[in-house]
Amino acid sequence: MRNDHFTERSRALVHRLHPLDWLAGALLLLGVIAAATGLLPAGPAEDQLRRIGPLLAFLATVIVLAELAGRAQVFDVVAAWVARAGWGRYPLLFGLCVAFASLTTITLNLDTTAVLLTPVMLALAGRVGIAAVPLAMTTVWLANTASLLLPVSNLTNLLAADRVALSPAGLAGVMWLPQLAAIGMTALCLWVFYWRRGRRGADSYTPPPVPSPEDRVLLGVCSVACAGFLLAILVVDVPLWSASLVAMVVVVVAYAVRRREELRLSLIPWRLLVLVPGMFLVVETVNAHGLHEVLVRGLGSDDGLAGMLRTAGVGAGLANVLNNLPAYVAGEAVVPADNHHQLLALLIGVNAGPLVTPWGSLATLLWFERCRFQGTRIGVRRFALTGLVLAVTATAAATCALALTV
């Protein structure tokens, strides 16, 4: 009887697995097999695992922090106030939504925007009676293009900042103008393709009522923890993972006192913790067997504007074919150690460029899943065509802006 019960639970677990779970498990298995069989030499494998240890610690803690902040209604309250601040006027609401999505991506990370802000925006659309697609596209595009400024904004930024030895403030000092250029181009494309009068389906909207949070104590603690985390990484020279860990512990303790039932193991992003090491090992294996040589010819070694544009374009294209994280890892291994400008251009390409294919970034995959769950349909053809326009223009604009700041 006990064995039958175990078998039934195992089958139920298998049925609950998402396709992304299978992908993550397959990549990790392939990576382990490559390392065990010698396809991936032991030295590079150990270097990759040592490098991603702090990244995984940061990723796990910051996503738990963001998830609990979302459950405390931090994002719901802010989204409702954004809608109220728009006074029923679409142009003003548009500017506020762009600012809100950009700020969430910059200060927390793009996956947080995709996972937590998407359902908030879609629910907001339903409550105030406005079209859902413009809000959804605002979320996914800015989740990618607004992820250039800080190491916390994107996992690729952490890798790049480590490679060029830039602190969070140092990276922001270099990337502020490219970030503004990418957000500006995104806002322009959003307005033309989705928000202008002929697209949004209405002339005005009714602002929602004043939000009433379920637990004001938790809301306050989570708000302070998120603000403290951002302040710590910008002002104090501490590892990102330690800052996110402290903020997460504060929030977890608050939940343990106020709503213990919310603290479950499912909060931990197991899929990402399996996917990331598997992806690193597989890409390193492919690099060792031909991809490296192809990228050497594709990226070149020019650290000037022409080389930066070329590198950003190749990075954007590769990110749409593979995924932005393995595209960055593969490209980073090719860029000469002293070519910091070229490396930052690669970062722009893999962050602002993966807007054409649904698998271009993990954030986009998560966004598609959230939209499907909420019942919002996004046409893949329209998504790809409008995304192509933005990918080309945002990548080019941000790269040119980088050339002005370095």
Side-chain angles (χ1 to χ4, degrees):
M1 290 292 292
R2 184 174 298 175
N3 288 337
D4 291 341
H5 179 65
F6 177 78
T7 302
E8 289 178 4
R9 290 186 63 185
S10 300
R11 288 175 179 171
L13 177 61
V14 169
H15 284 304
R16 286 201 303 269
L17 290 177
H18 189 274
L20 287 178
D21 296 322
W22 289 103
L23 173 63
L27 284 174
L28 182 60
L29 180 61
L30 288 173
V32 170
I33 291 174
T37 59
L39 282 173
L40 175 60
E46 291 175 3
D47 289 342
Q48 290 298 324
L49 292 177
R50 191 179 304 112
R51 183 182 188 187
I52 65 175
L55 304 182
L56 292 176
F58 163 74
L59 192 63
T61 52
V62 79
I63 288 181
V64 171
L65 169 66
E67 179 68 30
L68 290 175
R71 295 187 183 192
Q73 297 180 279
V74 172
F75 302 109
D76 291 273
V77 169
V78 176
W81 279 109
V82 166
R84 289 178 60 81
W87 295 343
R89 302 172 184 173
Y90 265 102
L92 182 55
L93 177 66
F94 168 71
L96 291 170
C97 285
V98 168
F100 184 26
S102 299
L103 185 63
T104 303
T105 301
I106 289 169
T107 58
L108 294 175
N109 62 43
L110 75 168
D111 296 325
T112 296
T113 300
V115 172
L116 298 181
L117 192 56
T118 300
V120 170
M121 288 290 201
L122 294 178
L124 177 61
R127 286 198 296 269
V128 301
I130 62 178
V133 172
L135 285 168
M137 293 304 300
T138 301
T139 303
V140 70
W141 276 1
L142 287 166
N144 289 282
T145 61
S147 65
L148 291 170
L149 190 64
L150 298 175
V152 68
S153 309
N154 199 326
L155 187 55
T156 54
N157 296 7
L158 288 168
L159 301 175
D162 179 64
R163 165 75 178 265
V164 298
L166 284 175
S167 66
L171 183 64
V174 174
M175 299 299 284
W176 69 271
L177 188 58
Q179 181 63 94
L180 286 178
I183 291 175
M185 195 57 66
T186 304
L188 176 61
C189 289
L190 280 169
W191 183 264
V192 171
F193 292 131
Y194 293 99
W195 276 85
R196 61 188 171 90
R197 186 175 183 182
R199 294 291 186 183
R200 62 183 181 244
D203 291 324
S204 61
Y205 68 93
T206 302
V210 177
S212 179
E214 298 174 4
D215 191 322
R216 293 186 178 275
V217 173
L218 274 182
L219 176 66
V221 170
C222 290
S223 300
V224 170
C226 290
F229 164 67
L230 176 61
L231 187 64
I233 66 172
L234 288 176
V235 177
V236 185
D237 186 17
V238 297
L240 285 171
W241 66 266
S242 63
S244 59
L245 175 62
V246 171
M248 184 202 71
V249 169
V250 170
V251 171
V252 167
V253 170
Y255 266 87
V257 174
R258 307 285 297 185
R259 280 160 46 185
R260 183 183 295 270
E261 68 279 2
E262 297 279 1
L263 298 177
R264 300 176 181 177
L265 287 175
S266 59
L267 287 170
I268 300 174
W270 301 110
R271 180 190 297 160
L272 289 179
L273 298 183
V274 172
L275 177 69
V276 171
M279 194 177 290
F280 270 71
L281 292 174
V282 168
V283 169
E284 191 65 28
T285 303
V286 175
N287 266 338
H289 294 276
L291 179 60
H292 184 87
E293 286 72 21
V294 172
L295 286 176
V296 167
R297 292 192 294 271
L299 295 179
S301 58
D302 182 5
D303 204 29
L305 176 58
M308 291 162 64
L309 288 169
R310 176 181 177 180
T311 300
V314 172
L318 190 61
N320 281 294
V321 172
L322 298 177
N323 179 272
N324 68 329
L325 181 57
Y328 174 80
V329 173
E332 185 196 62
V334 172
V335 174
D338 294 331
N339 286 15
H340 291 179
H341 303 165
Q342 187 183 11
L343 185 73
L344 292 175
L346 173 67
L347 182 66
I348 288 173
V350 300
N351 283 12
L355 303 169
V356 183
T357 58
W359 57 86
S361 70
L362 180 61
T364 305
L365 282 169
L366 296 172
W367 172 83
F368 263 108
E369 181 62 22
R370 290 283 176 155
C371 287
R372 185 193 64 80
F373 182 78
Q374 297 282 120
T376 300
R377 291 190 171 275
I378 310 293
V380 175
R381 183 172 180 273
R382 186 183 180 194
F383 175 87
L385 291 177
T386 57
L388 176 61
V389 174
L390 177 57
V392 172
T393 54
T395 300
T399 305
C400 291
L402 176 65
L404 296 175
T405 61
V406 294

